[in-house]
PDB file of all heavy atoms in Angstrom:
ATOM      1  N   ILE Y1469      70.610  17.173 -67.687  1.00 94.00           N
ATOM      2  CA  ILE Y1469      71.309  17.919 -66.591  1.00 94.00           C
ATOM      3  C   ILE Y1469      72.760  18.399 -67.066  1.00 94.00           C
ATOM      4  O   ILE Y1469      73.525  18.799 -66.259  1.00 94.00           O
ATOM      5  CB  ILE Y1469      71.419  17.045 -65.313  1.00 94.00           C
ATOM      6  CG1 ILE Y1469      72.185  15.724 -65.588  1.00 94.00           C
ATOM      7  CG2 ILE Y1469      70.041  16.842 -64.677  1.00 94.00           C
ATOM      8  CD1 ILE Y1469      72.434  14.881 -64.366  1.00 94.00           C
ATOM      9  N   SER Y1470      72.988  18.204 -68.396  1.00 95.00           N
ATOM     10  CA  SER Y1470      74.222  18.782 -68.948  1.00 95.00           C
ATOM     11  C   SER Y1470      75.531  18.179 -68.287  1.00 95.00           C
ATOM     12  O   SER Y1470      76.388  18.932 -67.856  1.00 95.00           O
ATOM     13  CB  SER Y1470      74.255  20.265 -68.946  1.00 95.00           C
ATOM     14  OG  SER Y1470      73.191  20.759 -69.685  1.00 95.00           O
ATOM     15  N   GLN Y1471      75.469  16.860 -68.063  1.00 97.00           N
ATOM     16  CA  GLN Y1471      76.599  16.170 -67.490  1.00 97.00           C
ATOM     17  C   GLN Y1471      77.088  15.016 -68.293  1.00 97.00           C
ATOM     18  O   GLN Y1471      76.255  14.389 -69.031  1.00 97.00           O
ATOM     19  CB  GLN Y1471      76.310  15.682 -66.046  1.00 97.00           C
ATOM     20  CG  GLN Y1471      76.062  16.787 -65.062  1.00 97.00           C
ATOM     21  CD  GLN Y1471      75.765  16.225 -63.670  1.00 97.00           C
ATOM     22  OE1 GLN Y1471      75.798  15.036 -63.457  1.00 97.00           O
ATOM     23  NE2 GLN Y1471      75.465  17.103 -62.731  1.00 97.00           N
ATOM     24  N   VAL Y1472      78.345  14.659 -68.291  1.00 98.00           N
ATOM     25  CA  VAL Y1472      78.878  13.554 -68.920  1.00 98.00           C
ATOM     26  C   VAL Y1472      79.714  12.790 -67.877  1.00 98.00           C
ATOM     27  O   VAL Y1472      80.671  13.298 -67.308  1.00 98.00           O
ATOM     28  CB  VAL Y1472      79.799  13.906 -70.140  1.00 98.00           C
ATOM     29  CG1 VAL Y1472      80.390  12.709 -70.746  1.00 98.00           C
ATOM     30  CG2 VAL Y1472      79.061  14.712 -71.171  1.00 98.00           C
ATOM     31  N   TYR Y1473      79.337  11.488 -67.696  1.00 98.00           N
ATOM     32  CA  TYR Y1473      80.088  10.633 -66.775  1.00 98.00           C
ATOM     33  C   TYR Y1473      81.091   9.794 -67.509  1.00 98.00           C
ATOM     34  O   TYR Y1473      80.768   9.169 -68.559  1.00 98.00           O
ATOM     35  CB  TYR Y1473      79.124   9.673 -66.056  1.00 98.00           C
ATOM     36  CG  TYR Y1473      78.402  10.250 -64.851  1.00 98.00           C
ATOM     37  CD1 TYR Y1473      77.487  11.233 -64.961  1.00 98.00           C
ATOM     38  CD2 TYR Y1473      78.766   9.838 -63.545  1.00 98.00           C
ATOM     39  CE1 TYR Y1473      76.823  11.744 -63.844  1.00 98.00           C
ATOM     40  CE2 TYR Y1473      78.169  10.363 -62.422  1.00 98.00           C
ATOM     41  CZ  TYR Y1473      77.196  11.317 -62.519  1.00 98.00           C
ATOM     42  OH  TYR Y1473      76.602  11.867 -61.447  1.00 98.00           O
ATOM     43  N   MET Y1474      82.302   9.774 -66.999  1.00 98.00           N
ATOM     44  CA  MET Y1474      83.345   8.969 -67.553  1.00 98.00           C
ATOM     45  C   MET Y1474      83.770   8.001 -66.427  1.00 98.00           C
ATOM     46  O   MET Y1474      84.403   8.398 -65.403  1.00 98.00           O
ATOM     47  CB  MET Y1474      84.532   9.773 -67.982  1.00 98.00           C
ATOM     48  CG  MET Y1474      84.131  10.720 -69.172  1.00 98.00           C
ATOM     49  SD  MET Y1474      85.534  11.638 -69.870  1.00 98.00           S
ATOM     50  CE  MET Y1474      86.336  10.291 -70.787  1.00 98.00           C
ATOM     51  N   MET Y1475      83.421   6.739 -66.595  1.00 98.00           N
ATOM     52  CA  MET Y1475      83.657   5.679 -65.580  1.00 98.00           C
ATOM     53  C   MET Y1475      84.738   4.794 -65.957  1.00 98.00           C
ATOM     54  O   MET Y1475      84.777   4.251 -67.122  1.00 98.00           O
ATOM     55  CB  MET Y1475      82.342   4.915 -65.308  1.00 98.00           C
ATOM     56  CG  MET Y1475      81.169   5.799 -64.863  1.00 98.00           C
ATOM     57  SD  MET Y1475      81.452   6.668 -63.290  1.00 98.00           S
ATOM     58  CE  MET Y1475      81.608   5.286 -62.198  1.00 98.00           C
ATOM     59  N   PHE Y1476      85.713   4.561 -65.036  1.00 98.00           N
ATOM     60  CA  PHE Y1476      86.863   3.767 -65.262  1.00 98.00           C
ATOM     61  C   PHE Y1476      86.832   2.490 -64.434  1.00 98.00           C
ATOM     62  O   PHE Y1476      86.550   2.557 -63.203  1.00 98.00           O
ATOM     63  CB  PHE Y1476      88.157   4.561 -64.895  1.00 98.00           C
ATOM     64  CG  PHE Y1476      88.439   5.726 -65.792  1.00 98.00           C
ATOM     65  CD1 PHE Y1476      87.776   6.924 -65.624  1.00 98.00           C
ATOM     66  CD2 PHE Y1476      89.352   5.580 -66.816  1.00 98.00           C
ATOM     67  CE1 PHE Y1476      88.072   8.025 -66.402  1.00 98.00           C
ATOM     68  CE2 PHE Y1476      89.650   6.636 -67.639  1.00 98.00           C
ATOM     69  CZ  PHE Y1476      88.978   7.911 -67.471  1.00 98.00           C
ATOM     70  N   ARG Y1477      87.143   1.338 -65.085  1.00 98.00           N
ATOM     71  CA  ARG Y1477      87.452   0.143 -64.309  1.00 98.00           C
ATOM     72  C   ARG Y1477      88.813   0.417 -63.589  1.00 98.00           C
ATOM     73  O   ARG Y1477      89.638   0.999 -64.192  1.00 98.00           O
ATOM     74  CB  ARG Y1477      87.522  -1.077 -65.202  1.00 98.00           C
ATOM     75  CG  ARG Y1477      86.224  -1.598 -65.688  1.00 98.00           C
ATOM     76  CD  ARG Y1477      86.454  -2.896 -66.526  1.00 98.00           C
ATOM     77  NE  ARG Y1477      86.983  -3.985 -65.633  1.00 98.00           N
ATOM     78  CZ  ARG Y1477      87.601  -5.006 -66.100  1.00 98.00           C
ATOM     79  NH1 ARG Y1477      87.922  -5.131 -67.389  1.00 98.00           N
ATOM     80  NH2 ARG Y1477      88.004  -5.968 -65.296  1.00 98.00           N
ATOM     81  N   ALA Y1478      88.905  -0.115 -62.401  1.00 98.00           N
ATOM     82  CA  ALA Y1478      90.175   0.072 -61.644  1.00 98.00           C
ATOM     83  C   ALA Y1478      90.293  -1.025 -60.682  1.00 98.00           C
ATOM     84  O   ALA Y1478      89.332  -1.586 -60.195  1.00 98.00           O
ATOM     85  CB  ALA Y1478      90.178   1.489 -60.958  1.00 98.00           C
ATOM     86  N   THR Y1479      91.557  -1.263 -60.264  1.00 98.00           N
ATOM     87  CA  THR Y1479      91.857  -2.335 -59.210  1.00 98.00           C
ATOM     88  C   THR Y1479      92.212  -1.624 -57.935  1.00 98.00           C
ATOM     89  O   THR Y1479      93.042  -0.688 -57.924  1.00 98.00           O
ATOM     90  CB  THR Y1479      93.022  -3.138 -59.735  1.00 98.00           C
ATOM     91  OG1 THR Y1479      92.672  -3.755 -60.979  1.00 98.00           O
ATOM     92  CG2 THR Y1479      93.291  -4.293 -58.717  1.00 98.00           C
ATOM     93  N   LEU Y1480      91.585  -2.036 -56.833  1.00 98.00           N
ATOM     94  CA  LEU Y1480      92.019  -1.546 -55.558  1.00 98.00           C
ATOM     95  C   LEU Y1480      93.463  -2.006 -55.259  1.00 98.00           C
ATOM     96  O   LEU Y1480      93.785  -3.177 -55.415  1.00 98.00           O
ATOM     97  CB  LEU Y1480      91.101  -2.088 -54.451  1.00 98.00           C
ATOM     98  CG  LEU Y1480      89.704  -1.351 -54.324  1.00 98.00           C
ATOM     99  CD1 LEU Y1480      88.862  -2.129 -53.309  1.00 98.00           C
ATOM    100  CD2 LEU Y1480      89.892   0.090 -53.931  1.00 98.00           C
ATOM    101  N   ALA Y1481      94.306  -1.073 -54.870  1.00 98.00           N
ATOM    102  CA  ALA Y1481      95.687  -1.414 -54.608  1.00 98.00           C
ATOM    103  C   ALA Y1481      95.886  -2.302 -53.436  1.00 98.00           C
ATOM    104  O   ALA Y1481      96.805  -3.100 -53.349  1.00 98.00           O
ATOM    105  CB  ALA Y1481      96.534  -0.117 -54.484  1.00 98.00           C
ATOM    106  N   ASN Y1482      94.987  -2.212 -52.483  1.00 97.00           N
ATOM    107  CA  ASN Y1482      95.094  -3.038 -51.236  1.00 97.00           C
ATOM    108  C   ASN Y1482      93.715  -2.977 -50.536  1.00 97.00           C
ATOM    109  O   ASN Y1482      92.748  -2.509 -51.019  1.00 97.00           O
ATOM    110  CB  ASN Y1482      96.218  -2.488 -50.350  1.00 97.00           C
ATOM    111  CG  ASN Y1482      96.083  -1.016 -50.098  1.00 97.00           C
ATOM    112  OD1 ASN Y1482      95.014  -0.486 -49.722  1.00 97.00           O
ATOM    113  ND2 ASN Y1482      97.194  -0.261 -50.390  1.00 97.00           N
ATOM    114  N   ASP Y1483      93.678  -3.537 -49.376  1.00 95.00           N
ATOM    115  CA  ASP Y1483      92.416  -3.603 -48.601  1.00 95.00           C
ATOM    116  C   ASP Y1483      92.220  -2.439 -47.681  1.00 95.00           C
ATOM    117  O   ASP Y1483      91.391  -2.444 -46.805  1.00 95.00           O
ATOM    118  CB  ASP Y1483      92.386  -4.907 -47.794  1.00 95.00           C
ATOM    119  CG  ASP Y1483      92.146  -6.161 -48.705  1.00 95.00           C
ATOM    120  OD1 ASP Y1483      91.461  -6.036 -49.691  1.00 95.00           O
ATOM    121  OD2 ASP Y1483      92.736  -7.195 -48.360  1.00 95.00           O
ATOM    122  N   ASP Y1484      93.037  -1.421 -47.844  1.00 97.00           N
ATOM    123  CA  ASP Y1484      92.959  -0.239 -46.951  1.00 97.00           C
ATOM    124  C   ASP Y1484      91.993   0.811 -47.532  1.00 97.00           C
ATOM    125  O   ASP Y1484      92.341   1.589 -48.421  1.00 97.00           O
ATOM    126  CB  ASP Y1484      94.372   0.391 -46.854  1.00 97.00           C
ATOM    127  CG  ASP Y1484      94.403   1.588 -45.901  1.00 97.00           C
ATOM    128  OD1 ASP Y1484      93.441   1.745 -45.083  1.00 97.00           O
ATOM    129  OD2 ASP Y1484      95.391   2.372 -45.920  1.00 97.00           O
ATOM    130  N   PHE Y1485      90.797   0.740 -47.036  1.00 98.00           N
ATOM    131  CA  PHE Y1485      89.750   1.729 -47.401  1.00 98.00           C
ATOM    132  C   PHE Y1485      88.850   1.974 -46.276  1.00 98.00           C
ATOM    133  O   PHE Y1485      88.680   1.131 -45.362  1.00 98.00           O
ATOM    134  CB  PHE Y1485      88.955   1.202 -48.627  1.00 98.00           C
ATOM    135  CG  PHE Y1485      88.251  -0.089 -48.491  1.00 98.00           C
ATOM    136  CD1 PHE Y1485      87.045  -0.200 -47.900  1.00 98.00           C
ATOM    137  CD2 PHE Y1485      88.895  -1.222 -49.003  1.00 98.00           C
ATOM    138  CE1 PHE Y1485      86.461  -1.476 -47.698  1.00 98.00           C
ATOM    139  CE2 PHE Y1485      88.252  -2.522 -48.890  1.00 98.00           C
ATOM    140  CZ  PHE Y1485      87.039  -2.575 -48.178  1.00 98.00           C
ATOM    141  N   ARG Y1486      88.244   3.137 -46.240  1.00 98.00           N
ATOM    142  CA  ARG Y1486      87.391   3.575 -45.101  1.00 98.00           C
ATOM    143  C   ARG Y1486      86.597   4.761 -45.569  1.00 98.00           C
ATOM    144  O   ARG Y1486      86.960   5.443 -46.639  1.00 98.00           O
ATOM    145  CB  ARG Y1486      88.171   3.892 -43.894  1.00 98.00           C
ATOM    146  CG  ARG Y1486      89.175   5.038 -44.064  1.00 98.00           C
ATOM    147  CD  ARG Y1486      90.152   5.151 -42.859  1.00 98.00           C
ATOM    148  NE  ARG Y1486      91.031   6.322 -43.065  1.00 98.00           N
ATOM    149  CZ  ARG Y1486      92.212   6.177 -43.765  1.00 98.00           C
ATOM    150  NH1 ARG Y1486      92.491   5.110 -44.426  1.00 98.00           N
ATOM    151  NH2 ARG Y1486      92.987   7.254 -43.903  1.00 98.00           N
ATOM    152  N   PRO Y1487      85.506   5.153 -44.926  1.00 98.00           N
ATOM    153  CA  PRO Y1487      84.677   6.278 -45.393  1.00 98.00           C
ATOM    154  C   PRO Y1487      85.514   7.591 -45.332  1.00 98.00           C
ATOM    155  O   PRO Y1487      86.176   7.919 -44.368  1.00 98.00           O
ATOM    156  CB  PRO Y1487      83.552   6.328 -44.388  1.00 98.00           C
ATOM    157  CG  PRO Y1487      83.487   4.991 -43.752  1.00 98.00           C
ATOM    158  CD  PRO Y1487      84.942   4.489 -43.787  1.00 98.00           C
ATOM    159  N   GLY Y1488      85.427   8.345 -46.440  1.00 98.00           N
ATOM    160  CA  GLY Y1488      85.952   9.691 -46.410  1.00 98.00           C
ATOM    161  C   GLY Y1488      84.871  10.677 -45.928  1.00 98.00           C
ATOM    162  O   GLY Y1488      83.806  10.282 -45.424  1.00 98.00           O
ATOM    163  N   ASP Y1489      85.145  11.961 -46.028  1.00 97.00           N
ATOM    164  CA  ASP Y1489      84.259  12.956 -45.520  1.00 97.00           C
ATOM    165  C   ASP Y1489      82.867  12.943 -46.133  1.00 97.00           C
ATOM    166  O   ASP Y1489      81.892  13.379 -45.541  1.00 97.00           O
ATOM    167  CB  ASP Y1489      84.858  14.349 -45.657  1.00 97.00           C
ATOM    168  CG  ASP Y1489      86.063  14.609 -44.726  1.00 97.00           C
ATOM    169  OD1 ASP Y1489      86.223  13.778 -43.758  1.00 97.00           O
ATOM    170  OD2 ASP Y1489      86.893  15.484 -45.015  1.00 97.00           O
ATOM    171  N   GLU Y1490      82.782  12.477 -47.426  1.00 97.00           N
ATOM    172  CA  GLU Y1490      81.541  12.471 -48.126  1.00 97.00           C
ATOM    173  C   GLU Y1490      80.779  11.179 -48.019  1.00 97.00           C
ATOM    174  O   GLU Y1490      79.777  11.020 -48.732  1.00 97.00           O
ATOM    175  CB  GLU Y1490      81.797  12.870 -49.585  1.00 97.00           C
ATOM    176  CG  GLU Y1490      82.384  14.281 -49.767  1.00 97.00           C
ATOM    177  CD  GLU Y1490      82.546  14.619 -51.199  1.00 97.00           C
ATOM    178  OE1 GLU Y1490      82.254  13.818 -52.086  1.00 97.00           O
ATOM    179  OE2 GLU Y1490      83.109  15.699 -51.470  1.00 97.00           O
ATOM    180  N   SER Y1491      81.261  10.245 -47.214  1.00 98.00           N
ATOM    181  CA  SER Y1491      80.637   8.906 -47.177  1.00 98.00           C
ATOM    182  C   SER Y1491      80.349   8.484 -45.728  1.00 98.00           C
ATOM    183  O   SER Y1491      81.079   8.801 -44.808  1.00 98.00           O
ATOM    184  CB  SER Y1491      81.595   7.850 -47.780  1.00 98.00           C
ATOM    185  OG  SER Y1491      81.901   8.108 -49.122  1.00 98.00           O
ATOM    186  N   LEU Y1492      79.195   7.805 -45.586  1.00 98.00           N
ATOM    187  CA  LEU Y1492      78.840   7.314 -44.279  1.00 98.00           C
ATOM    188  C   LEU Y1492      79.437   5.906 -44.112  1.00 98.00           C
ATOM    189  O   LEU Y1492      79.729   5.546 -42.914  1.00 98.00           O
ATOM    190  CB  LEU Y1492      77.307   7.164 -44.147  1.00 98.00           C
ATOM    191  CG  LEU Y1492      76.484   8.430 -44.285  1.00 98.00           C
ATOM    192  CD1 LEU Y1492      75.019   8.125 -44.431  1.00 98.00           C
ATOM    193  CD2 LEU Y1492      76.709   9.257 -43.038  1.00 98.00           C
ATOM    194  N   GLU Y1493      79.612   5.204 -45.164  1.00 98.00           N
ATOM    195  CA  GLU Y1493      80.066   3.786 -45.127  1.00 98.00           C
ATOM    196  C   GLU Y1493      80.644   3.430 -46.510  1.00 98.00           C
ATOM    197  O   GLU Y1493      80.164   3.904 -47.517  1.00 98.00           O
ATOM    198  CB  GLU Y1493      78.849   2.869 -44.788  1.00 98.00           C
ATOM    199  CG  GLU Y1493      79.086   1.452 -44.706  1.00 98.00           C
ATOM    200  CD  GLU Y1493      77.804   0.660 -44.452  1.00 98.00           C
ATOM    201  OE1 GLU Y1493      76.737   1.291 -44.321  1.00 98.00           O
ATOM    202  OE2 GLU Y1493      77.874  -0.601 -44.378  1.00 98.00           O
ATOM    203  N   VAL Y1494      81.604   2.581 -46.527  1.00 98.00           N
ATOM    204  CA  VAL Y1494      82.134   1.975 -47.747  1.00 98.00           C
ATOM    205  C   VAL Y1494      82.355   0.505 -47.526  1.00 98.00           C
ATOM    206  O   VAL Y1494      82.721   0.101 -46.416  1.00 98.00           O
ATOM    207  CB  VAL Y1494      83.459   2.636 -48.169  1.00 98.00           C
ATOM    208  CG1 VAL Y1494      83.200   4.125 -48.582  1.00 98.00           C
ATOM    209  CG2 VAL Y1494      84.553   2.512 -47.156  1.00 98.00           C
ATOM    210  N   ARG Y1495      81.993  -0.299 -48.544  1.00 98.00           N
ATOM    211  CA  ARG Y1495      82.201  -1.743 -48.401  1.00 98.00           C
ATOM    212  C   ARG Y1495      82.275  -2.360 -49.793  1.00 98.00           C
ATOM    213  O   ARG Y1495      81.827  -1.810 -50.823  1.00 98.00           O
ATOM    214  CB  ARG Y1495      81.109  -2.399 -47.590  1.00 98.00           C
ATOM    215  CG  ARG Y1495      79.724  -2.123 -48.046  1.00 98.00           C
ATOM    216  CD  ARG Y1495      78.730  -3.118 -47.457  1.00 98.00           C
ATOM    217  NE  ARG Y1495      78.944  -4.499 -47.966  1.00 98.00           N
ATOM    218  CZ  ARG Y1495      77.995  -5.420 -47.870  1.00 98.00           C
ATOM    219  NH1 ARG Y1495      76.862  -5.225 -47.189  1.00 98.00           N
ATOM    220  NH2 ARG Y1495      78.196  -6.601 -48.356  1.00 98.00           N
ATOM    221  N   LEU Y1496      82.766  -3.602 -49.790  1.00 98.00           N
ATOM    222  CA  LEU Y1496      82.881  -4.367 -51.034  1.00 98.00           C
ATOM    223  C   LEU Y1496      81.551  -5.185 -51.201  1.00 98.00           C
ATOM    224  O   LEU Y1496      81.035  -5.761 -50.231  1.00 98.00           O
ATOM    225  CB  LEU Y1496      84.061  -5.328 -51.003  1.00 98.00           C
ATOM    226  CG  LEU Y1496      85.410  -4.671 -51.062  1.00 98.00           C
ATOM    227  CD1 LEU Y1496      86.486  -5.677 -50.691  1.00 98.00           C
ATOM    228  CD2 LEU Y1496      85.655  -4.097 -52.543  1.00 98.00           C
ATOM    229  N   PHE Y1497      81.088  -5.282 -52.487  1.00 98.00           N
ATOM    230  CA  PHE Y1497      79.850  -6.014 -52.798  1.00 98.00           C
ATOM    231  C   PHE Y1497      80.143  -6.970 -53.930  1.00 98.00           C
ATOM    232  O   PHE Y1497      80.849  -6.632 -54.865  1.00 98.00           O
ATOM    233  CB  PHE Y1497      78.750  -5.035 -53.228  1.00 98.00           C
ATOM    234  CG  PHE Y1497      78.199  -4.152 -52.198  1.00 98.00           C
ATOM    235  CD1 PHE Y1497      78.803  -2.967 -51.946  1.00 98.00           C
ATOM    236  CD2 PHE Y1497      77.068  -4.470 -51.519  1.00 98.00           C
ATOM    237  CE1 PHE Y1497      78.304  -2.064 -51.016  1.00 98.00           C
ATOM    238  CE2 PHE Y1497      76.568  -3.667 -50.499  1.00 98.00           C
ATOM    239  CZ  PHE Y1497      77.149  -2.432 -50.261  1.00 98.00           C
ATOM    240  N   ASP Y1498      79.583  -8.146 -53.884  1.00 96.00           N
ATOM    241  CA  ASP Y1498      79.458  -8.953 -55.094  1.00 96.00           C
ATOM    242  C   ASP Y1498      78.098  -8.739 -55.702  1.00 96.00           C
ATOM    243  O   ASP Y1498      77.321  -7.956 -55.111  1.00 96.00           O
ATOM    244  CB  ASP Y1498      79.741 -10.438 -54.813  1.00 96.00           C
ATOM    245  CG  ASP Y1498      78.780 -11.149 -53.878  1.00 96.00           C
ATOM    246  OD1 ASP Y1498      77.591 -10.623 -53.822  1.00 96.00           O
ATOM    247  OD2 ASP Y1498      79.145 -12.052 -53.187  1.00 96.00           O
ATOM    248  N   GLU Y1499      77.853  -9.255 -56.827  1.00 97.00           N
ATOM    249  CA  GLU Y1499      76.603  -8.960 -57.547  1.00 97.00           C
ATOM    250  C   GLU Y1499      75.357  -9.205 -56.748  1.00 97.00           C
ATOM    251  O   GLU Y1499      74.415  -8.456 -56.773  1.00 97.00           O
ATOM    252  CB  GLU Y1499      76.540  -9.685 -58.900  1.00 97.00           C
ATOM    253  CG  GLU Y1499      75.317  -9.340 -59.745  1.00 97.00           C
ATOM    254  CD  GLU Y1499      75.282 -10.037 -61.082  1.00 97.00           C
ATOM    255  OE1 GLU Y1499      76.198 -10.814 -61.354  1.00 97.00           O
ATOM    256  OE2 GLU Y1499      74.410  -9.655 -61.882  1.00 97.00           O
TER     257      GLU Y1499
END
């Protein structure tokens, strides 16, 4: 499909998150 994904580990700055326009739901998961 002629794509290259570059994925970064990152730390959430705080617990302030919620669905944006492109998301129905967002949540934290453990394995």
